[in-house]
Amino acid sequence: MELEDRLNEVRDRIRKASAAADRAAGEVTLVAVSKTFDAEAIRPAIAAGQRVFGENRVQEAHAKWPQLRAETAGIELHLIGPLQSNKAAEAVALFDVIETVDREKIARAIAAEMVRQDRKVRLYVQVNTGLEPQKAGIAPDDLIAFVAFCRDELGLSIEGLMCIPPADENPGPHFALLAKLARKAGVARLSMGMSGDYETAIAFGATSVRVGSAIFGTR
Ligand SMILES: *Cc1c(COP(=O)(O)O)cnc(C)c1O
């Protein structure tokens, strides 16, 4: 199957899952995760009308996206991987959305860079819903205070929450927890669901899904 067919199948399944969950058409944004794929492999997705992409490494994104952006207007780039504060300047310059804010130090670095570069980047907080030691993200119990810190101390508005459920667990309870935390924190958007579980995530209220291998193939 060609990339365009796989992309259309994902789009179709998003539409059907949205309808099944009584969600309005277009309420769920597809973030096409292009990590590990080079510009050549990404161009067919852009040609098929995809504009929102996710990358998990600043360095890798920097190597391919300035050129791809120069070729096509309206690209929106999301950082979905962990961010080190020494990369904050580059991340703020390159990405439109950073989905992985998860500690005070990185929030401070992003806030400072947004002022220095006079550039606004949309922000999500990553939540470690499974409390996995190897995984990035703030603990669910610390989320409300962290969102308040970002808003009140740093003047950052947090647009959404993001999670990656443990690979070996039913994702539903993790998606439900993220939705509950978002309601409590007064945060509007939910980035949850990947190739294996994006329809489930939509049923639990995802406003964006991050789909890689179902579009680009196995990595
Ligand atoms: C790689 C990645 C995805 C996409 O995963 P697939 O299973 O290939 O769809 C989504 N979110 C994050 C944070 C990722 O790192």
Side-chain angles (χ1 to χ4, degrees):
M1 215 187 341
E2 298 292 319
L3 183 141
E4 186 170 359
D5 298 320
R6 292 193 298 264
L7 180 60
N8 282 332
E9 186 182 323
V10 171
R11 287 168 168 161
D12 196 47
R13 286 170 61 170
I14 289 172
R15 263 193 299 276
K16 286 183 176 135
S18 299
D22 281 324
R23 313 273 311 274
E27 209 179 289
V28 180
T29 300
L30 171 59
V31 180
V33 177
S34 49
K35 67 185 186 198
T36 78
F37 290 92
D38 62 12
E40 218 48 59
I42 296 169
R43 281 194 186 96
I46 297 173
Q50 181 65 29
R51 291 292 178 271
V52 186
F53 290 87
E55 289 282 347
N56 70 335
R57 289 166 187 270
V58 176
Q59 235 36 52
E60 183 190 337
H62 193 74
K64 50 192 182 184
W65 282 100
Q67 173 62 32
L68 290 168
R69 274 193 201 274
E71 293 167 11
T72 306
I75 298 287
E76 179 180 303
L77 199 56
H78 292 226
L79 178 64
I80 60 169
L83 179 60
Q84 306 302 322
S85 27
N86 63 0
K87 297 267 170 59
E90 212 174 344
V92 166
L94 185 61
F95 290 92
D96 303 291
V97 182
I98 296 176
E99 298 200 11
T100 51
V101 182
D102 68 349
R103 58 196 188 281
E104 289 192 7
K105 189 176 177 198
I106 201 68
R108 283 187 198 283
I110 289 168
E113 279 305 324
M114 290 192 356
V115 170
R116 202 177 64 83
Q117 298 180 28
D118 191 21
R119 179 175 156 79
K120 281 250 182 304
V121 174
R122 290 153 50 201
L123 302 174
Y124 285 56
V125 171
Q126 182 176 356
V127 183
N128 189 353
T129 57
L131 288 171
E132 295 174 281
Q134 83 288 5
K135 202 165 269 175
I138 194 155
D141 282 350
D142 299 333
L143 187 268
I144 305 290
F146 182 63
V147 170
F149 165 81
C150 289
R151 187 187 52 217
D152 302 335
E153 303 285 320
L154 304 178
L156 295 176
S157 95
I158 300 298
E159 173 177 314
L161 303 183
M162 182 273 234
C163 78
I164 310 167
D168 55 353
E169 282 183 33
N170 174 6
H174 295 273
F175 296 153
L177 172 59
L178 200 69
K180 184 175 134 195
L181 289 169
R183 277 194 301 275
K184 275 205 207 167
V187 165
R189 295 185 61 85
L190 291 168
S191 170
M192 55 190 197
M194 319 201 319
S195 289
D197 55 18
Y198 64 93
E199 290 153 299
T200 306
I202 289 168
F204 281 96
T207 59
S208 60
V209 293
R210 309 178 308 270
V211 179
S213 48
I215 296 169
F216 291 100
T218 47
R219 289 182 293 272

